[in-house]
Amino acid sequence: MTLFESISTIRSKIQQWRQAGQRIALVPTMGNLHAGHLSLIEIAQQQADKVVVSIFVNPTQFGPDEDYDQYPRTFEADRLALEQLSVDGLFFPAVSEMYPLEGREAKVVAPEVLSGIYEGASRPGHFDGVTTVVAKLFQITQPDIAVFGQKDYQQFAVIQAMVESLFMPIELIRAPIVRDTDGLALSSRNQYLTQQQRQIAPVLSNTLEWLEGELVSGNRGCKELCQLAHRMLLEKGFDAVDYIDICDANSLAPLASLVPDQSAVIMAVARLGTTRLLDNRLCTHVTEGEG
Ligand code: AMP
């Protein structure tokens, strides 16, 4: 595996790969790699000849009171894990390499209809930071494919809209959520949880599973179901629920009720102390039930 810290060195290597007719995949991450990230890399390796993983904790997607400084940085362990997976290139740029223009930086603005709701409402400016850094990474690496996780469902929808509206010739792959044995979606932020909070945490994924079960068995009252789920989360120990909604899987518009064969996604963020746990469940095959 080759480590690239500069844009010029990774560009010239990628140019060589391209000239040899090789298909290139990019897996963008903020590091502190876990099995969720590694699953994206395995998918990328099945789809491409050369896989580049980027590790960059992107300052522009963090709000002023968020955890940019605290965010876990574990470069040596990450590098080792990537070596073991035989990743071809690791791109690990400094902030000054990615944002060299001090005050003259352009940004890519995410579409408001997707970025002003849910995560975007809780974290103003977050998705503009995401689209800007992902566009930069795409410009630098010019991948044929890029793999992202369903874990960040709204992020994927925003990136997909950017790729389509700017005609970027990149195939996006949305990889399934990797979970711990008790159902908790793996996340670098899970390590902020105390032991007691960690025991409560899987209630979130269990609740989403329960909601999906209700939809599958024909309960169509999305609003009532979500209100009930919200109460259940608080009763079982969560400190706050930022949102829990059943949404159209494409537009992310909240649904009051489901029509037969509608693709829906259940999206939720609940808090344990100051830690926000993000989860979702895609329900693409909810057929009309008895109720
Ligand atoms: P992050 O390092 O948190 O920015 O995540 C980098 C990529 O890994 C994003 O595309 C995430 O959606 C994805 N990812 C994070 N957690 C998981 C998970 N538990 N399962 C699958 N993909 C994940």
Side-chain angles (χ1 to χ4, degrees):
M1 182 179 76
T2 313
L3 171 65
F4 303 97
E5 292 182 273
S6 76
I7 293 169
S8 59
T9 53
I10 193 166
R11 274 204 158 141
S12 61
K13 176 51 84 180
I14 284 177
Q15 201 179 1
Q16 277 175 20
W17 288 340
R18 271 201 180 290
Q19 278 164 357
Q22 285 169 318
R23 192 169 147 82
I24 293 152
L26 173 68
V27 181
T29 80
M30 297 205 298
N32 193 236
L33 302 179
H34 52 63
H37 299 112
L38 304 184
S39 76
L40 309 189
I41 294 165
E42 279 160 18
I43 291 170
Q45 287 174 326
Q46 287 158 15
Q47 306 278 334
D49 304 305
K50 296 288 180 189
V51 173
V52 172
V53 175
S54 60
I55 295 182
F56 183 62
V57 184
N58 173 37
T60 66
Q61 71 189 67
F62 288 79
D65 301 325
E66 293 185 9
D67 58 346
Y68 176 72
D69 290 330
Q70 261 173 284
Y71 196 84
R73 290 160 170 88
T74 51
F75 180 72
E76 280 312 321
D78 293 347
R79 190 205 332 223
L80 208 62
L82 296 175
E83 290 269 13
Q84 278 166 0
L85 277 186
S86 305
V87 163
D88 301 283
L90 165 57
F91 183 46
F92 181 59
V95 173
S96 56
E97 186 75 6
M98 292 295 280
Y99 293 98
L101 295 185
E102 285 184 13
R104 287 182 300 115
E105 281 286 338
K107 76 176 175 188
V108 178
V109 178
E112 175 66 21
V113 67
L114 291 175
S115 67
I117 54 177
Y118 299 115
E119 283 310 275
S122 299
R123 307 178 67 187
H126 169 68
F127 285 117
D128 291 346
V130 169
T131 44
T132 299
V133 78
V134 171
K136 281 175 180 271
L137 290 168
F138 285 175
Q139 286 294 104
I140 294 164
T141 59
Q142 310 261 310
D144 297 285
I145 67 171
V147 187
F148 296 87
Q150 184 196 317
K151 166 79 172 28
D152 298 282
Y153 191 91
Q154 186 178 4
Q155 169 175 284
F156 189 88
V158 166
I159 292 169
Q160 193 167 38
M162 173 185 78
V163 163
E164 286 175 18
S165 50
L166 300 181
F167 309 107
M168 294 176 166
I170 299 168
E171 181 192 334
L172 298 181
I173 296 179
R174 188 176 62 204
I177 302 176
V178 175
R179 298 177 180 281
D180 222 327
T181 45
D182 58 9
L184 176 65
L186 297 186
S187 165
S188 304
R189 290 187 170 103
N190 291 351
Q191 61 201 268
Y192 298 156
L193 299 171
T194 63
Q195 226 174 355
Q196 197 195 357
Q197 290 170 334
R198 177 62 189 82
Q199 284 180 344
I200 300 168
V203 168
L204 180 59
S205 58
N206 296 341
T207 304
L208 299 192
E209 198 178 348
W210 169 81
L211 263 177
E212 184 184 14
E214 287 298 305
L215 294 175
V216 169
S217 64
N219 191 337
R220 290 289 176 266
C222 296
K223 206 168 151 211
E224 295 71 23
L225 281 173
C226 289
Q227 282 169 348
L228 194 55
H230 189 129
R231 278 207 301 278
M232 283 159 59
L233 288 170
L234 295 177
E235 276 164 21
K236 292 185 180 164
F238 276 88
D239 296 303
V241 179
D242 285 10
Y243 57 84
I244 181 159
D245 259 338
I246 300 168
C247 305
D248 179 89
N250 296 312
S251 70
L252 306 188
L255 299 169
S257 63
L258 275 192
V259 296
D261 295 326
Q262 179 152 30
S263 285
V265 60
I266 311 168
M267 301 209 303
V269 166
R271 290 179 195 243
L272 284 168
T274 53
T275 305
R276 299 175 77 244
L277 296 183
L278 176 80
D279 204 347
N280 68 79
R281 245 184 133 81
L282 197 51
C283 321
T284 45
H285 302 293
V286 178
T287 51
E288 191 156 32
E290 301 295 316

